[in-house]
Amino acid sequence: MRPALILAAALRRLGEGPETIVAVSAKCCADLVASLLAINALGAAYLALEPGYPAQRLAFMLENSGAPFWLFPGGVPADCVAPVPCLVGRSDLAALDPASLPREHDQALVH
């Protein structure tokens, strides 16, 4: 549970919370479970994306959802093309400047 809480804290610092969407991709593993638990703990929703989808479809899904980044708990595939920042884990989340992310939702929802 500790990895999920650490990830939830990092996501909260980036402005994720109730009524926000976190795009996530991972093979079924402990990192995926921790990511989904973290997103759930925030009250956010997750958008499951498959990196193998056509780039145009991924771009549409990311743009339409308003997700400010794409989380890859197990590592970003080499052939992945994304119109938003791709984050691998806690180290990427800690280093990212929240002001650099596009926000479509009301910041007042973030606790």
Side-chain angles (χ1 to χ4, degrees):
M1 188 72 175
R2 183 170 165 80
L5 295 176
I6 293 169
L7 182 56
L11 289 170
R12 184 169 306 281
R13 282 194 305 279
L14 291 175
E16 296 305 310
E19 298 188 27
T20 63
I21 297 174
V22 178
V24 64
S25 290
K27 295 180 179 172
C28 191
C29 64
D31 290 335
L32 176 61
V33 173
S35 297
L36 297 180
L37 286 172
I39 294 165
N40 186 51
L42 294 172
Y46 73 91
L47 172 63
L49 295 175
E50 177 59 47
Y53 288 164
Q56 188 175 24
R57 178 180 170 131
L58 290 171
F60 171 78
M61 292 173 74
L62 286 162
E63 182 180 327
N64 192 43
S65 71
F69 55 84
W70 190 353
L71 183 61
F72 287 87
V76 180
D79 59 345
C80 182
V81 178
V84 296
C86 293
L87 308 175
V88 176
R90 293 187 302 270
S91 60
D92 279 352
L93 289 168
L96 189 64
D97 176 15
S100 70
L101 300 174
R103 300 307 307 171
E104 297 294 328
H105 64 278
D106 183 359
Q107 286 291 326
L109 295 173
V110 179
H111 301 304

